[in-house]
Amino acid sequence: MRDRFRDLEEPATVRKKDVVLMATVTSFEGMNHPSKSELRQFAELFTPLFQASSDEAKRQAVAALSQCPTVPQAVALFIGCQPIAIAAPFLTSSQAIDDDTLITIARTQGAAHAKAIVRRSSLSPKVIDALVSLHQAEPERGMTIAETAAAQPTAALDLTASIPDPEAERLAREEVLRQKIKQIARHLARDDTDRLGLRNLSDAQEALLVRFAREREAQQFAATLADALSSSRWLAERIMLDTSGQQLALTLVSLGMGFADAVYALERFYPQLAERHGSVSRAWLVLDDIDAEESHARVEAWRRADSYTYLPPEQKRDAPLFGPRASPIRELRVVSRR
């Protein structure tokens, strides 16, 4: 690769710079998957050859590179900063230029380059936001710069009223996608330590759970878990009887137990979760895969079902189900099993 490129740049060659430029571009086009070193070599050769060539050769080289699936970003930025008569085909159709480079060109090269970027068949929400902020989202709809500056960036969809239907639909889809991305960003930025309004383990309860897990005291662990959930002992036992450990993991996440303590508890009661996968255990992977909001919803559903099935102790003593001689609900359940 290096020899082929360097041979084209030998001062002894009698070919004109235009021919050398086109030969270099043609050679680069023939590489299906250029390596990093080949991309770097092409970037080093292209700029001086391009600057020394005629405008016609420059346009031909840019048109050829606009069809290449891979172009060094340094070359993409260099081409994008050329006069619009040369750079337009590349800005309009090249799929090798990334979003950051497009935004840099739009911000530094002026309205003509931004218009060429707007003509691309598809734009990411990131680029659209940048164009809107530059008041260039609708550069070809008869709006003057003053009128565009007076428009609110949040009214970008209103500006599409005069766009043909296919273009309007595309921009509408991109706006929906942009809103979804913003929603996801807000979700990811949520403070998971904010548990206001959620059921939480007290320090004493968390310490007891860790102690009983260390000693593998399943009965005591279940009693403490039931107390933390304000549920019946049966619900805590049912959670622990899930041999996969998934239900206990959901419960511990819902109660806000420390990650390391939750991993330890799962590993003590479910030996298969102590198996190592790389540098972490299966318990770590199980906990890491749980969505906190989903765990809250599922555990609360279990608690509601438990409250429908089992009355609180004081009600069991004072309010028999079928009159004064009826058995408490737990006794009825045990009898039915017999």
Side-chain angles (χ1 to χ4, degrees):
M1 173 67 189
R2 177 180 293 273
D3 293 337
R4 283 191 294 167
F5 281 158
R6 294 305 177 190
D7 288 343
L8 294 173
E9 206 182 30
E10 284 294 329
T13 182
V14 296
R15 289 177 291 186
K16 295 182 179 179
K17 289 292 184 180
D18 290 1
V19 176
V20 178
L21 174 64
M22 293 309 302
T24 303
V25 172
T26 301
S27 178
F28 181 75
E29 283 183 296
M31 300 177 186
N32 293 329
H33 301 287
S35 64
K36 290 183 179 180
S37 62
E38 290 171 336
L39 290 172
R40 185 177 64 253
Q41 291 167 23
F42 176 73
E44 293 172 354
L45 289 172
F46 179 80
T47 301
L49 289 173
F50 188 89
Q51 292 174 332
S53 300
S54 65
D55 289 345
E56 181 62 27
K58 291 177 181 178
R59 283 191 288 269
Q60 292 180 8
V62 169
L65 289 175
S66 66
Q67 305 303 315
C68 291
T70 305
V71 173
Q73 289 308 304
V75 173
L77 179 61
F78 174 76
I79 294 175
C81 294
Q82 298 302 308
I84 191 60
I86 295 174
F90 190 78
L91 294 176
T92 303
S93 60
S94 175
Q95 299 303 311
I97 185 169
D98 62 24
D99 290 347
D100 291 336
T101 304
L102 284 173
I103 293 171
T104 300
I105 293 169
R107 287 175 175 171
T108 59
Q109 300 303 310
H113 288 70
K115 290 178 181 179
I117 294 172
V118 171
R119 296 192 191 100
R120 294 173 66 86
S121 59
S122 63
L123 290 172
S124 70
K126 180 179 179 180
V127 175
I128 293 173
D129 283 336
L131 292 173
V132 170
S133 68
L134 292 171
H135 312 298
Q136 294 291 343
E138 289 297 326
E140 297 181 320
R141 304 295 177 235
M143 295 181 65
T144 65
I145 296 299
E147 290 170 340
T148 306
Q152 293 293 333
T154 56
L157 287 180
D158 297 336
L159 299 177
T160 64
S162 61
I163 301 179
D165 288 345
E167 185 71 5
E169 292 177 1
R170 181 180 66 79
L171 291 179
R173 288 194 302 270
E174 290 175 350
E175 175 65 18
V176 170
L177 178 60
R178 181 166 61 221
Q179 295 303 323
K180 287 182 179 179
I181 292 174
K182 290 180 179 179
Q183 183 178 1
I184 293 172
R186 288 193 296 269
H187 172 76
L188 294 177
R190 187 182 68 245
D191 184 6
D192 290 333
T193 61
D194 182 8
R195 297 182 53 82
L196 183 63
L198 300 177
R199 187 171 299 276
N200 293 285
L201 286 172
S202 67
D203 293 341
Q205 288 171 334
E206 185 164 359
L208 286 172
L209 290 175
V210 173
R211 173 186 172 183
F212 295 139
R214 182 185 305 112
E215 299 172 356
R216 288 196 172 94
E217 289 284 349
Q219 294 296 326
Q220 298 298 329
F221 189 96
T224 306
L225 187 63
D227 180 63
L229 291 170
S230 299
S231 69
S232 70
R233 175 75 170 268
W234 179 85
L235 175 60
E237 291 175 352
R238 192 203 71 179
I239 289 172
M240 295 186 66
L241 285 174
D242 173 27
T243 56
S244 70
Q246 185 71 30
Q247 290 188 11
L248 181 58
L250 281 167
T251 306
L252 297 181
V253 170
S254 175
L255 292 173
M257 190 174 190
F259 193 88
D261 290 339
V263 169
Y264 179 76
L266 290 174
E267 291 176 352
R268 296 294 291 175
F269 285 117
Y270 307 98
Q272 76 275 14
L273 297 183
E275 295 176 4
R276 309 299 294 181
H277 282 255
S279 60
V280 298
S281 66
R282 287 183 60 190
W284 194 100
L285 297 175
V286 168
L287 287 167
D288 187 58
D289 194 45
I290 292 176
D291 179 80
E293 290 186 2
E294 181 183 352
S295 71
H296 301 326
R298 293 186 62 180
V299 172
E300 286 304 308
W302 296 342
R303 292 184 64 257
R304 285 195 299 271
D306 182 68
S307 67
Y308 299 151
T309 307
Y310 296 96
L311 293 173
E314 61 273 10
Q315 294 185 22
K316 291 179 183 178
R317 292 191 300 268
D318 302 334
L321 185 61
F322 300 115
R325 303 183 66 179
S327 300
I329 291 179
R330 177 173 287 277
E331 294 179 11
L332 289 175
R333 182 176 67 84
V334 173
V335 169
S336 66
R337 286 189 175 182
R338 291 177 184 174

